[in-house]
Amino acid sequence: MPTLNKIGTALSRSHHTFAADPGLRALRVAVTVFFAVDGFLFAGWVVRIPAIKAQVGASAGQLGLALLGVSVGAIATMVLTGRLCRVFGNERVTVATAALLAVSVALPPRTHSALALGLVLLLFGASYGGLNVAMNSVAVDLVAALRRPVMSSFHAAYSLGGLLGAGIGGLLASHLSPATHLMLLTPIGLLTVLFAGRVMLAHRIGHARVTAPAARAEAAPRPEAAGSAGTVGTGNSGTAYGDTAHGGTVRADPVPGGSAGGGRRTTAPGAVPEAVQRAVAEAAAEGPPARAGARGAAAGHRTALLVAVFGLIAACSAYGEGALAEWGALHIQQDLHNGPGVAAAGYACVTSAMTLGRLSGTALLTRLGQSRALVLGGLTACGGMLVGALAPVTALVMVGFALTGLGLANLFPTAIARAGALTGAGGVAAASTLGYGGMLLGPPSIGFLTDAVGLPTALTTVSVLAAVAAVIAWSVRHTSPPQTA
């Protein structure tokens, strides 16, 4: 405990330095824009799925196989993106994959068979998966620097972008073909990436922001401090902010061409303050090395298990997001016999509810704590999806979709934030692979189930997995992060 008190005191002294940095504010805006454009482009594709399905003449099962292309491309890229982020930097990978997504969104409506659609969706999925890992890695580091639970606000921007994309798609559905509509999204996406990317690259998290010569010299890490830097947490949750917006993660990773601090850079913005380095070094000096090594090995295994658990919660949540995104509109149009504009409005109900949920996520997490918020969200999504899938009236289905979106809103960002706070970009990549795997494997699974039992029944699997997420969150409510200091 004395060791943790030293580290906590050092971190609290450096808190205002991080929060007052104008570079962090600019970076937060840029990250928010990238999340928004991701949701905007993805929603543009989603609301035109019924028209593209009719264009290629695919059955529900064939469409499910074609959508598997998104899953395969995304998951394969997610496995590699963590390494790419370590080599090239989270920010560069974010910009590159966002540009690729803006280009690839125009390709699906130019296909005329389910096979060609599936192949094109491989590229779309690869860019989508890579972007989500990279920008979430930037967001996790930024959360650690700001020391506030703002991850939900970034995902709120994704939902807001999705709401805008779905709204525009619904308005244009009866006036423009899918090919023309999605082609218009490409220049919008590229211009946004150009301007937001310049800001993001100008305020890269790995670059030290201390300008005074004395402060710069003070921030240079000593070898013994850099060598012992690990995950440091003072909150109960082990995230960058914890259940009460305290605690944080300070981690040093070797990178090619690192800054002047012994060839290393921190994943939190700027160099690690000297007070923190001394506290960590003193913690490493306390106790026998053999005991410290045993504790470190046990902590490493426990950390990996926690990352997997958070990834599983993210997967259950993302399954519902993916199912609603790619089958919700089809359910309203096909099973309830509505037009394309009404079908797009159904997805807009989901994204608007998720936006509201994520905008209020910071206050909700601070008030209830992460575990209670996760359980409440899972149960709300479970009940909402039962109504959305089985109600015979369009208005009730819309209400059910909105409740589902509200319940799912904070499950995914909270799980990813906690995994990233434990192990940095590697944790984000691992949890994102599980999480987005659920989002991207969900739609083809729904397609296969639709051929067997019908779409309404297939959609009830969203309720089942939302309940599973709530149970998992409740079961690990007393689990604290491993402490290696």
Side-chain angles (χ1 to χ4, degrees):
M1 290 304 296
T3 297
L4 292 179
N5 289 336
K6 294 175 186 177
I7 296 171
T9 301
L11 285 171
S12 64
R13 288 173 180 171
S14 62
H15 169 76
H16 297 292
T17 301
F18 287 123
D21 191 341
L24 291 180
R25 292 195 293 270
L27 181 60
R28 183 177 179 181
V29 172
V31 172
T32 300
V33 170
F34 272 100
F35 272 86
V37 76
D38 184 33
F40 178 78
L41 294 174
F42 190 74
W45 143 250
V46 162
V47 298
R48 304 315 296 258
I49 287 178
I52 295 174
K53 175 180 179 290
Q55 176 181 304
V56 301
S59 66
Q62 290 173 331
L63 179 62
L65 282 173
L67 294 175
L68 191 61
V70 180
S71 307
V72 173
I75 293 174
T77 305
M78 286 176 178
V79 173
L80 298 174
T81 302
R83 297 178 183 177
L84 292 175
C85 287
R86 286 191 291 272
V87 174
F88 299 104
N90 300 332
E91 298 82 2
R92 289 194 182 101
V93 177
T94 298
V95 173
T97 51
L100 184 59
L101 181 67
V103 173
S104 62
V105 73
L107 300 179
R110 301 190 176 278
T111 60
H112 299 282
S113 69
L115 176 60
L117 177 61
L119 293 175
V120 163
L121 290 178
L122 279 171
L123 178 62
F124 181 75
S127 57
Y128 180 77
L131 173 59
N132 278 276
V133 170
M135 70 181 182
N136 272 290
S137 296
V138 178
V140 164
D141 287 346
L142 186 54
V143 167
L146 294 171
R147 310 208 186 286
R148 293 182 59 210
V150 297
M151 180 63 102
S152 291
S153 69
F154 297 130
H155 287 261
Y158 174 90
S159 299
L160 190 60
L163 176 61
L164 182 61
I168 292 175
L171 292 174
L172 297 179
S174 59
H175 302 287
L176 295 178
S177 67
T180 303
H181 170 207
L182 297 185
M183 177 61 75
L184 291 175
L185 299 186
T186 295
I188 296 174
L190 288 176
L191 286 173
T192 305
V193 169
L194 175 63
F195 289 108
R198 291 181 63 184
V199 175
M200 178 175 284
L201 293 176
H203 301 283
R204 294 174 58 199
I205 290 182
H207 287 184
R209 296 186 175 89
V210 182
T211 56
R216 189 181 297 113
E218 179 185 12
R222 292 177 293 134
E224 66 271 22
S228 62
T231 301
V232 180
T234 59
N236 290 331
S237 71
T239 69
Y241 44 87
D243 278 357
T244 56
H246 294 292
T249 299
V250 177
R251 193 165 60 87
D253 292 327
V255 294
S259 58
R264 303 172 73 89
R265 72 177 176 92
T266 59
T267 56
V272 180
E274 184 182 13
V276 177
Q277 297 165 19
R278 285 177 180 156
V280 176
E282 290 172 9
E286 296 176 3
R291 185 183 303 172
R295 287 198 304 266
H301 291 302
R302 192 171 179 219
T303 297
L305 179 60
L306 286 175
V307 168
V309 168
F310 297 141
L312 185 57
I313 293 174
C316 293
S317 170
Y319 178 96
E321 291 189 46
L324 282 172
E326 301 192 8
W327 290 99
L330 195 62
H331 172 54
I332 292 175
Q333 186 170 344
Q334 173 183 288
D335 299 324
L336 300 176
H337 311 291
N338 291 290
V342 177
Y347 183 65
C349 285
V350 177
T351 55
S352 59
M354 293 189 78
T355 301
L356 292 175
R358 286 169 173 171
L359 286 174
S360 61
T362 298
L364 182 68
L365 290 168
T366 302
R367 183 176 182 82
L368 297 181
Q370 292 179 337
S371 296
R372 290 177 181 173
L374 289 173
V375 172
L376 178 62
L379 294 179
T380 302
C382 177
M385 196 62 236
L386 286 176
V387 174
L390 302 178
V393 180
T394 301
L396 285 178
V397 171
M398 298 282 194
V399 171
F401 279 10
L403 286 174
T404 306
L406 189 64
L408 295 176
N410 293 299
L411 296 186
F412 189 91
T414 302
I416 296 299
R418 294 184 70 170
L422 287 171
T423 57
V428 173
S432 294
T433 300
L434 287 171
Y436 284 105
M439 174 179 280
L440 301 168
L441 287 175
S445 300
I446 294 290
F448 299 141
L449 288 171
T450 297
D451 278 344
V453 297
L455 182 53
T457 303
L459 286 174
T460 61
T461 57
V462 174
S463 295
V464 174
L465 290 182
V468 170
V471 170
I472 295 173
W474 181 255
S475 67
V476 298
R477 66 190 184 281
H478 296 310
T479 303
S480 60
Q483 302 291 350
T484 60

